[in-house]
Amino acid sequence: MGEELGVAAAAEDLELWVVTRGENGSVGLTYLAPALPEVALRAHFSAAAAAERSQGRESELDAIVLLGSPDELAGLDGPHADYLAPIVRRFFEQG
């Protein structure tokens, strides 16, 4: 989370939520982190991206999107990890 969004969280504040298997057999661990206001997430993300650019590197992520429902995922541009849709659906189903 710190690398992608510029937000640091202590290990004890993270909750292992789901384990996924990708199309190529990769295994992923998804953790839930403490909630933060949108404005704070966007500020941290912008600062992390700027820091990457100042060192001559391109950020791994070029944008963040907050979804209000799984249906909004279909409208997103760009490549997506193969495990993203199932994780998003599961998140909204449990809420």
Side-chain angles (χ1 to χ4, degrees), residues 33-66:
L36 292 174
E38 179 179 357
V39 68
L41 288 173
R42 292 193 183 283
H44 284 288
F45 176 77
S46 293
E52 286 288 310
R53 285 191 301 274
S54 74
Q55 295 179 13
R57 298 190 300 251
E58 285 296 317
S59 296
E60 183 177 349
L61 300 176
D62 61 357
I64 58 172
V65 176
L66 302 180

Side-chain angles (χ1 to χ4, degrees), residues 11-93:
E12 59 269 12
D13 292 336
L14 301 177
E15 175 188 344
L16 179 59
W17 180 60
V18 67
V19 178
T20 57
R21 180 179 293 202
E23 292 174 355
N24 297 319
S26 61
V27 175
L29 306 175
T30 301
Y31 291 85
L32 292 178
L36 292 174
E38 179 179 357
V39 68
L41 288 173
R42 292 193 183 283
H44 284 288
F45 176 77
S46 293
E52 286 288 310
R53 285 191 301 274
S54 74
Q55 295 179 13
R57 298 190 300 251
E58 285 296 317
S59 296
E60 183 177 349
L61 300 176
D62 61 357
I64 58 172
V65 176
L66 302 180
L67 301 174
S69 78
D71 297 334
E72 294 176 21
L73 193 57
L76 298 180
D77 293 330
H80 303 98
D82 58 355
Y83 52 82
L84 181 61
I87 287 176
V88 168
R89 280 193 307 273
R90 181 175 175 165
F91 180 81
F92 281 99
E93 286 169 358

